[in-house]
Amino acid sequence: MKKLTCVFLVLTSLLFAVQPKAGEKLASNQIFTYNAGAAPQSLDPAKVEGVPEGIFARNLFETLIISDVDDKIKPGVAIKWEHSNDYKTWTFTLRKDAKWSNGDPVLASDFVFAWKRLADPKTASPYASFLNYMKLKNASSIISGRMPSSSLGVEAKDDYTLVLHLEDSVPYADLLTQFYVLSPVPQKVVEKLGDSWSDPKNIVTNGAFKIDSLVVNEEAILSKNPYYWDAKNVVLDKVRLLQIANQSVAYTRYRAGSLDVSKFPLELFDSIKKDYPKELTIGPSLCTYFYEFNVKKPPFNDVKVRKALTMSLDRDILTDQILKQGQKPAYTFSPPAIQGASAIVAPEYSKWSKQKRNEEAIKLLEQAGYSKAKPLNFTLLYNTNEDHKKLALAVSSIWKQNLKGLVNVKLQNQEWKTFLSTRRLGQQQMSRAAWCSDYNEASSFLNTFTTGSSNNQGGFSNAQFDEMMKTATKAKTDEERAKIYAKAEEILYNEAALAPAYFYTESQIIKPYVRGYKIKPSRSYYFKDVYILEH
């Protein structure tokens, strides 16, 4: 079979970590302090989801492909890769100098073991469906328990050659391999220690850093992994990962000089613009904030109820009066800036006046059987965080006002781990949610609403939508695929599968002595590129 090749050459300097520029004087103490935002659920890449977990995973583990500070893909453990003409077979050549933090070589068999373990229902991974998104052969049957994990379409041709066999053509399959759930795990260690392999005292990693200690809800200390293949170009000696959920506390730590990068409370944006103009950075982000309906339970098993709430949500109040940092109102799930979203258009109601939207929403609620005498009562769940609380208060007030008393919203907050568990168990009615791209392609968003996806925690299911997403992988051109994605988005908003709220921007304050760090739309932060100037 003829091969087409998309190759990154291992000898180019672009592969290595960002290096200090001429004339820059490094600090003697190369410690970078960053706020992960919460304690990770686990350090095991197969058992995590969420932003805090991603920060840990990307710095402790390295996938086949990673991205640079400008969000462009570059080789990780793989030094080159190629695909068959039909995009169903992908072959990755691994670097021979990649090692685990115990000095053992990273082998193709470690990836095979990790991915089969991810698919195995016994692992109960919240992200097992990611293998379905890649169309890896037999992934769906394995995840549902109908086939053994040994039949997964991934093989180690030899110690340094990994071959993926896909059920359908996926022209962007290489992009998916950079997501942290597809990190390798050390087979020997996992088989020897079982679930305790990922305890901080036991864990063996292949990333630029290894973990020295983890105090839950306080901080983790990571140190440079001396066995990392590019260790000589990693300038940082240590990374301190704080776990502060309260942004007021994080900002106070930043001002006190004990945090190098921080977010801040929304209401401080104007004063920070004035007081820290050179430290404030605002960047794009491929993320959508939304309210997730549990469509399997009343009252949100009724599409009229979902449409009424989606239609009457005043996004302008959220973006212009509460957030005020350049966020854009969202009427679709996929952000306009993501690859493949060029044909997606907003629903017709987004062009209506607010008065017409509210009138139509009230009609829908009345058709669903609700009235002032019998209002719609439900609970909106959010994880403990000042901003989420402000937004939850705002949307409950917006719905109360716009729907003329036909809705009563009760707010409930939970700590991060409990919040994740509640959603995974489907115990919520409505919850705040956000989705950030796992890779820069619209399917990274849309696949999460396919039937049975482990990321589909609202339980949405639509056969036509599922078929659209299957068809998309068979598209012959990017334009054809973009049109299919647009039709899939239409189904989401016609069925009101979610209530999109806004497209993110990212605002952070960054100490002027920090180099090699910038806001990335993907939020895939690898601290191997960071270094600290004398200050």
Side-chain angles (χ1 to χ4, degrees):
M1 180 179 293
K2 183 182 178 183
K3 302 282 188 177
L4 299 177
T5 308
C6 54
V7 178
F8 285 79
L9 298 176
V10 74
L11 295 179
T12 173
S13 61
L14 292 175
L15 303 187
F16 304 122
V18 170
Q19 290 295 290
K21 298 175 183 175
E24 289 184 331
K25 194 167 184 179
L26 293 176
S28 57
N29 202 4
Q30 287 296 318
I31 300 176
F32 178 55
T33 306
Y34 191 85
N35 183 22
Q41 308 160 70
S42 168
L43 298 177
D44 185 338
K47 296 190 175 183
V48 295
E49 58 183 330
V51 174
E53 292 76 12
I55 292 167
F56 278 83
R58 289 188 176 93
N59 289 288
L60 292 174
F61 294 89
E62 187 168 87
T63 47
L64 294 169
I65 293 171
I66 57 175
S67 60
D68 63 15
V69 291
D70 295 315
D71 239 351
K72 296 176 181 174
I73 63 168
K74 67 176 188 176
V77 176
I79 54 173
K80 64 177 182 178
W81 53 97
E82 58 187 5
H83 57 75
S84 58
N85 284 343
D86 62 3
Y87 295 100
K88 288 185 177 180
T89 303
W90 289 76
T91 302
F92 292 82
T93 301
L94 312 191
R95 62 177 74 250
K96 294 183 178 177
D97 54 351
K99 292 184 178 179
W100 293 103
S101 54
N102 63 2
D104 288 346
V106 177
L107 304 175
S109 57
D110 291 320
F111 282 90
V112 173
F113 176 76
W115 293 16
K116 288 181 177 177
R117 182 171 172 268
L118 178 69
D120 192 332
K122 287 184 287 190
T123 305
S125 172
Y127 247 119
S129 292
F130 198 79
L131 298 168
N132 270 340
Y133 305 161
M134 184 183 274
K135 306 295 180 187
L136 209 59
K137 189 176 180 182
N138 298 329
S140 178
S141 296
I142 297 167
I143 292 167
S144 60
R146 289 180 283 118
M147 293 182 74
S149 60
S150 58
S151 60
L152 188 68
V154 57
E155 66 168 319
K157 206 76 173 176
D158 57 44
D159 282 348
Y160 299 101
T161 306
L162 185 73
V163 182
L164 313 186
H165 302 284
L166 311 187
E167 291 176 340
D168 284 319
S169 303
V170 183
Y172 48 85
D174 52 345
L175 298 181
L176 277 76
T177 67
Q178 65 186 305
F179 191 49
Y180 61 79
V181 299
L182 296 186
S183 298
V185 297
Q187 181 173 359
K188 292 179 183 175
V189 179
V190 178
E191 288 179 337
K192 179 181 178 182
L193 300 177
D195 286 344
S196 67
W197 84 275
S198 59
D199 290 349
K201 65 180 183 298
N202 296 330
I203 194 166
V204 172
T205 61
N206 74 318
F209 300 94
K210 59 186 179 67
I211 193 160
D212 293 342
S213 63
L214 170 61
V215 179
V216 174
N217 293 327
E218 291 189 20
E219 69 173 26
I221 301 295
L222 279 56
S223 63
K224 182 160 69 173
N225 175 6
Y227 290 105
Y228 180 59
W229 63 271
D230 194 24
K232 64 180 181 299
N233 290 309
V234 176
V235 180
L236 289 180
D237 294 317
K238 292 187 182 296
V239 175
R240 293 177 66 213
L241 289 179
L242 308 186
Q243 302 153 38
I244 306 170
N246 187 310
Q247 293 190 0
S248 295
V249 175
Y251 178 57
T252 299
R253 295 284 293 267
Y254 180 88
R255 295 184 67 191
S258 58
L259 187 57
D260 294 326
V261 176
S262 181
K263 296 182 182 181
F264 46 83
L266 293 171
E267 64 270 17
L268 296 180
F269 183 68
D270 289 338
S271 64
I272 285 175
K273 266 202 305 189
K274 178 182 176 183
D275 297 338
Y276 299 99
K278 293 182 179 178
E279 297 172 37
L280 174 63
T281 304
I282 303 172
S285 183
L286 295 176
C287 297
T288 304
Y289 196 99
F290 63 101
Y291 290 95
E292 178 184 74
F293 303 114
N294 185 343
V295 302
K296 291 186 173 180
K297 293 181 176 180
F300 299 120
N301 56 350
D302 187 334
V303 66
K304 291 177 182 173
V305 177
R306 303 197 300 267
K307 280 187 175 180
L309 293 177
T310 303
M311 201 175 283
S312 59
L313 178 60
D314 191 333
R315 283 86 168 166
D316 293 335
I317 291 178
L318 303 183
T319 57
D320 299 344
Q321 297 182 28
I322 297 175
L323 298 165
K324 299 189 291 185
Q325 296 176 18
Q327 293 87 351
K328 300 294 183 187
Y331 295 91
T332 62
F333 186 36
S334 304
I338 199 165
Q339 292 181 22
S342 58
I344 292 174
V345 296
E348 181 64 25
Y349 77 80
S350 68
K351 301 171 188 172
W352 296 351
S353 69
K354 292 178 182 177
Q355 180 181 350
K356 182 177 179 181
R357 286 185 217 170
N358 295 337
E359 289 172 352
E360 292 298 321
I362 289 171
K363 288 179 188 174
L364 287 167
L365 280 183
E366 290 173 342
Q367 289 169 13
Y370 297 100
S371 64
K372 287 185 179 178
K374 184 193 169 189
L376 168 66
N377 298 305
F378 65 91
T379 300
L380 167 56
L381 176 69
Y382 64 94
N383 57 298
T384 303
N385 174 284
E386 294 164 89
D387 292 349
H388 299 321
K389 181 178 180 180
K390 287 172 189 166
L391 289 164
L393 286 167
V395 297
S396 64
S397 175
I398 289 169
W399 280 324
K400 184 84 174 176
Q401 179 174 337
N402 289 353
L403 297 171
K404 307 298 183 187
L406 268 63
V407 169
N408 290 321
V409 186
K410 179 183 176 184
L411 303 182
Q412 180 185 13
N413 72 296
Q414 294 179 340
E415 296 300 318
W416 178 241
K417 287 185 180 180
T418 307
F419 172 78
L420 292 176
S421 176
T422 299
R423 291 178 64 210
R424 203 174 298 140
L425 294 171
Q427 296 173 336
Q428 79 284 15
Q429 287 187 302
M430 172 191 280
S431 72
R432 84 91 198 168
W435 190 259
C436 298
S437 64
D438 296 334
Y439 52 95
N440 190 357
E441 220 271 349
S443 59
S444 176
F445 278 75
L446 296 171
N447 274 330
T448 63
F449 275 91
T450 53
T451 301
S453 165
S454 55
N455 303 123
N456 184 359
Q457 294 171 340
F460 178 76
S461 179
N462 181 288
Q464 189 183 1
F465 178 84
D466 294 344
E467 189 58 36
M468 286 284 179
M469 296 312 297
K470 286 181 183 175
T471 305
T473 61
K474 298 180 174 65
K476 292 183 173 59
T477 64
D478 291 344
E479 290 74 19
E480 183 182 342
R481 187 175 303 108
K483 290 178 182 176
I484 296 171
Y485 288 156
K487 290 180 180 176
E489 275 280 358
E490 276 185 38
I491 294 172
L492 288 186
Y493 58 66
N494 286 339
E495 291 295 315
L498 70 156
Y502 62 87
F503 299 123
Y504 278 55
T505 56
E506 182 77 359
S507 300
Q508 299 179 0
I509 37 180
I510 304 170
K511 293 291 186 184
Y513 51 75
V514 174
R515 291 290 186 274
Y517 177 89
K518 62 190 292 188
I519 292 175
K520 297 171 68 174
S522 69
R523 296 187 171 196
S524 301
Y525 294 113
Y526 300 94
F527 299 146
K528 61 180 283 186
D529 295 318
V530 175
Y531 56 94
I532 306 297
L533 297 182
E534 189 176 72
H535 58 277

